[in-house]
Amino acid sequence: MKKLFYITLLIALPLSLAACQSKSTTGSSQEKSSSSKVAQKDSSDKQASRSSKSESSSSSEEKNSSSSEVTIATRDMSAIGIMTYQEQFPSDDLQKEPNLGLTKGAQFLIGVSSVSELAYNLDGDSVVWYTKENDNSKPESEKELSVKHTMSLAELEAKHYSTAAQKSLVDALVQKISIVDNDTSSNSDEESSDDYEDTDATDTDNEDTDNYDTEDDNEDVNTNEDTTDDYDE
């Protein structure tokens, strides 16, 4: 009986050891496989993050490039005034306005009657304009242009001067608009030019007068010499 027990024990012991070793190897293999999967996932996440950053940087560069390539189609103040008026009063049909007028000065004024509807000027690549104050206690003609608005020229043109039809309309209104020039600097230049011309004319007159007086003196001298010669004879 004892022999049988020992024999069974000798047979079972190696089998148990082999089973334990197999389990240990399997567990180690599973751990290695799990670690490998984690490492692969981390690497994949890093690559995805780098790719996302690269795409974001590329998109930002494209936006900056496109914004730097924006060009202004026109800086004609009449055209800018008409586009600004269209922006502020979109329901007005300027083609039907017989009294569309523009006044040039320190600020440009534009309106459809003797009363200007808005004042505008350029500030770099933007247009700044002012509309009438919201004071219902004043008559329309006494309201000041004090409400400020600002828009980039690129945006203004995109809205009112981008299609062929829009350009044709604005260009036609530029030809139609009545312009009054109240620019004091240009008037001063013209007055200075007139004064200069007047001075030149005065100097010329003075020179003519001097020449005339000289001729008279010469004639008097010649007459005196003739009289002396007659007396000597």
Side-chain angles (χ1 to χ4, degrees), residues 25-220:
T25 303
T26 302
S28 176
S29 176
Q30 289 177 347
E31 287 178 0
K32 288 181 179 179
S33 176
S34 177
S35 299
S36 176
K37 288 181 180 179
V38 171
Q40 288 178 352
K41 184 178 179 182
D42 290 342
S43 176
S44 177
D45 290 343
K46 287 180 180 179
Q47 288 180 350
S49 177
R50 288 174 184 172
S51 176
S52 177
K53 288 180 180 179
S54 176
E55 289 177 0
S56 176
S57 175
S58 175
S59 175
S60 177
E61 288 176 358
E62 287 178 359
K63 287 182 180 179
N64 292 335
S65 175
S66 62
S67 64
S68 64
E69 292 174 358
V70 172
T71 57
I72 307 302
T74 179
R75 288 184 180 273
D76 179 79
M77 294 305 291
S78 299
I80 291 171
I82 290 167
M83 289 187 281
T84 305
Y85 193 98
Q86 290 175 323
E87 174 66 22
Q88 185 63 40
F89 307 107
S91 62
D92 288 5
D93 186 355
L94 294 180
Q95 289 180 299
K96 297 180 180 178
E97 295 293 345
N99 298 319
L100 179 63
L102 173 70
T103 302
K104 293 182 178 180
Q107 281 191 320
F108 290 78
L109 306 172
I110 189 169
V112 295
S113 64
S114 58
V115 179
S116 299
E117 303 295 335
L118 60 85
Y120 68 97
N121 218 327
L122 291 182
D123 182 13
D125 288 336
S126 297
V127 58
V128 180
W129 73 93
Y130 298 85
T131 53
K132 293 179 181 178
E133 58 186 328
N134 299 317
D135 188 350
N136 295 326
S137 65
K138 294 181 180 180
E140 197 68 19
S141 60
E142 294 181 4
K143 291 183 179 180
E144 295 182 0
L145 299 171
S146 57
V147 182
K148 185 178 180 180
H149 312 265
T150 304
M151 180 179 288
S152 70
L153 281 175
E155 183 180 357
L156 186 68
E157 288 185 352
K159 297 177 73 173
H160 303 286
Y161 202 72
S162 58
T163 68
Q166 289 174 333
K167 290 180 179 180
S168 178
L169 173 60
V170 172
D171 292 343
L173 291 172
V174 168
Q175 298 300 319
K176 171 187 175 181
I177 196 168
S178 174
I179 300 177
V180 176
D181 192 351
N182 283 345
D183 191 346
T184 56
S185 62
S186 99
N187 291 336
S188 298
D189 292 340
E190 291 176 0
E191 290 174 359
S192 298
S193 177
D194 291 340
D195 292 341
Y196 182 75
E197 290 175 359
D198 291 341
T199 302
D200 287 346
T202 302
D203 291 341
T204 302
D205 292 341
N206 290 336
E207 288 177 1
D208 291 341
T209 302
D210 292 340
N211 291 335
Y212 182 76
D213 291 341
T214 302
E215 290 176 359
D216 287 346
D217 291 340
N218 290 335
E219 288 178 1
D220 290 341

